[in-house]
Amino acid sequence: MPELPEVETLRRDLSRTLVGRTILTATARIPKLFVEPPGPEILVGHTILALSRRAKFLIWELSGDLVMVMHLKLAGQIIHRDAEGRTIASGGHPVPGFTAPMPHKQTNATFTLDDGSTVYMTDIRQFARIRVLYAHDLPAFLRTYRLGPEPLTRAFSSRALAKGLSRHPRLAVKPALLDQRTVAGLGNIYVDESLWQARIHPERLAGSLSEEEIRRLARAIRSVIDHAVTNGVAEILNGRAAPEHAFPRVHGREGARCPRCRREIVKTRVGGRGTYVCGRCQPLPLSVSA
DNA sequence: AACTACTCCTGGAGGC
DNA sequence: TGCCTCCAGGAGTAGT
């Protein structure tokens, strides 16, 4: 569930509470959490210099030429509690709640810091992964993913999107967008939202989109991601946002009315993923569905 | 090379 | 209540 906006929001919040702190202890409950050596013990004594992000990777930049690269996958969550046990930063998957007692049985890693605070990493599905690298090896590590442009940077444009989609001309546009080489950081929710906003059916073949549609899609991706990052995605997903900011607009809203045309939102399956569309706003021409 | 299907996991929902 | 199946889904990988 954590996609670019969730990870970026988390990065910003943790930047305020973690930078300058030194790690006193680091433990993992599940050995496979740290994909390969070194394990968490190497982090002890290192100071957190900055937090950065690439696609859905959360990157802890540490003293001594180390980086810790986290991927929350579907259900990873991070909670930072101060010495009194108050949550001072949190993000990722909202279940269990950020106020739940920590640690609990799904707390898979724990980091204690020099100010008495503690960072808990939880993951009810155990898919999340952590990798510790030398900082000078990080660029090569990221290069192996051949990640596409970040949607909120100048590198992302309708031209860049067209180029990315041209890699999969015979593939449905939804799985093409989920490929991190096309655009970095999109996941199932934001792809559905972007396609709805651009009025493009997820099963349209990537190669069938007109230039105008690709422009619309690029604008939609940028605005959907920007909106989520700007407005604080966790609160939006918790339903606490104002109605005009209700989000998601289609994903997970089977049976609700399309906010644009009032037609019922239907759930389908595209590329093996649960997919939500408005049948009126996002037409699927017969010529490309055959 | 490119695409599909399966896998990793657990918990929650729904059927009976 | 309880047992069963299905589903959630990022990304790695095995198979076609």
Side-chain angles (χ1 to χ4, degrees):
Chain A
M1 170 113 53
E3 304 180 28
L4 188 159
E6 286 81 5
V7 180
E8 176 60 19
T9 303
L10 179 59
R11 184 197 71 77
R12 292 179 186 185
D13 291 348
L14 289 176
S15 294
R16 293 191 202 102
T17 61
L18 285 182
V19 171
R21 298 276 62 82
T22 297
I23 298 170
L24 297 187
T25 67
T27 55
R29 190 180 62 88
I30 296 178
K32 68 186 174 188
L33 178 60
F34 283 74
V35 183
E36 58 193 344
E41 56 283 346
I42 197 175
L43 301 166
V44 171
H46 290 264
T47 299
I48 302 157
L49 305 177
L51 285 114
S52 57
R53 181 192 57 75
R54 179 73 170 105
K56 300 168 194 166
F57 292 106
L58 179 65
I59 302 165
W60 300 42
E61 301 178 16
L62 306 171
S63 61
D65 194 43
L66 284 188
V67 293
M68 173 163 62
V69 182
M70 288 184 163
H71 199 303
L72 299 176
K73 294 288 181 84
L74 305 187
Q77 173 189 73
I78 292 177
I79 294 181
H80 187 193
R81 296 255 164 95
D82 67 14
E84 283 72 48
R86 290 179 295 241
T87 300
I88 50 177
S90 63
H93 196 257
V95 178
F98 298 119
T99 57
M102 294 285 154
H104 57 70
K105 65 172 181 172
Q106 308 296 359
T107 304
N108 296 334
T110 303
F111 306 89
T112 62
L113 307 176
D114 60 347
D115 62 349
S117 67
T118 308
V119 177
Y120 301 98
M121 197 231 188
T122 78
D123 180 8
I124 58 173
R125 293 193 184 120
Q126 299 181 17
F127 286 172
R129 291 292 180 265
I130 297 176
R131 193 182 296 260
V132 180
L133 302 168
Y134 288 112
H136 60 261
D137 288 332
L138 180 64
F141 168 75
L142 291 174
R143 263 200 304 279
T144 64
Y145 289 89
R146 292 188 285 161
L147 296 165
E150 290 283 330
L152 296 182
T153 66
R154 301 185 65 131
F156 182 68
S157 61
S158 59
R159 211 168 139 184
L161 179 60
K163 190 180 166 196
L165 291 175
S166 72
R167 216 192 308 272
H168 308 284
R170 300 287 303 160
L171 188 63
V173 65
K174 172 160 181 174
L177 290 173
L178 287 172
D179 183 339
Q180 299 297 294
R181 293 174 296 178
T182 307
V183 186
L186 298 185
N188 205 32
I189 296 174
Y190 292 96
V191 165
D192 278 7
E193 295 299 301
S194 299
L195 288 168
W196 174 82
Q197 182 145 326
R199 285 174 279 125
I200 295 170
H201 194 284
E203 287 181 283
R204 289 279 306 282
L205 299 187
S208 77
L209 300 187
S210 68
E211 279 186 35
E212 163 57 21
E213 286 174 318
I214 291 176
R215 272 197 297 274
R216 232 157 58 204
L217 182 54
R219 269 201 305 274
I221 290 169
R222 199 191 290 268
S223 98
V224 164
I225 298 292
D226 179 66
H227 180 268
V229 170
T230 303
N231 291 282
V233 67
E235 289 182 306
I236 294 172
L237 289 173
N238 284 343
R240 275 185 268 137
E244 63 268 28
H245 292 143
F247 186 89
R249 309 228 230 189
V250 287
H251 190 91
R253 300 173 69 96
E254 181 180 22
R257 302 227 165 255
C258 167
R260 196 162 42 209
C261 77
R262 315 302 298 163
R263 172 75 64 90
E264 193 173 316
I265 294 163
V266 293
K267 182 181 183 187
T268 62
R269 193 160 273 273
V270 179
R273 308 290 170 93
T275 300
Y276 299 83
V277 299
C278 170
R280 181 184 290 164
C281 291
Q282 297 165 270
L284 180 57
L286 291 174
S287 57
V288 297
S289 64

